[in-house]
Amino acid sequence: MMKFCAFCYHPSATLQKCGKCKKRHFCSRECQLKDWKEAGHKIYCGIAGEIGVDYEIREAGGGMGLGVFALRDFRENDKIMVERPIIK
């Protein structure tokens, strides 16, 4: 299965995992550091869900478009998704 770098979204079959949460994948050390320092992974590491691990985005069926589907059980008040800012 093809995975994508969590920072630059470059597709690759071989990616390195975050050493702390083991959920986010990176194509290079540079992308990992940028994601940690600039994109906020440092703040949300281990406390927010990760696509492909905790949830997936796929067709909802019935012509309804895309939907977010859980891949595990979530507790009340769990953070499922966190968006990084696009403007600083």
Side-chain angles (χ1 to χ4, degrees):
M1 181 171 135
M2 185 67 68
K3 294 195 176 205
F4 296 87
C5 176
F7 185 76
C8 72
Y9 305 109
H10 183 267
S12 177
T14 57
L15 296 171
Q16 303 166 352
K17 290 182 183 179
C18 170
K20 183 177 177 185
C21 70
K22 310 282 191 240
K23 291 182 177 182
R24 283 179 84 76
H25 295 82
F26 303 97
C27 63
S28 67
R29 179 85 173 132
E30 180 183 359
C31 278
Q32 183 180 12
L33 289 173
K34 285 182 179 180
D35 194 53
W36 187 258
K37 293 178 180 178
E38 299 171 20
H41 184 60
K42 181 178 185 177
I43 298 166
Y44 301 108
C45 184
I47 61 172
E50 290 292 329
I51 191 165
V53 177
D54 301 304
Y55 65 91
E56 66 183 356
I57 299 172
R58 60 179 162 85
E59 284 290 329
M64 297 180 64
L66 296 176
V68 178
F69 297 86
L71 297 176
R72 66 173 180 86
D73 290 333
F74 289 94
R75 295 181 309 249
E76 188 174 335
N77 296 320
D78 272 356
K79 289 185 182 184
I80 298 169
M81 283 191 253
V82 177
E83 293 183 282
R84 65 181 186 220
I86 58 170
I87 300 174
K88 290 185 179 186

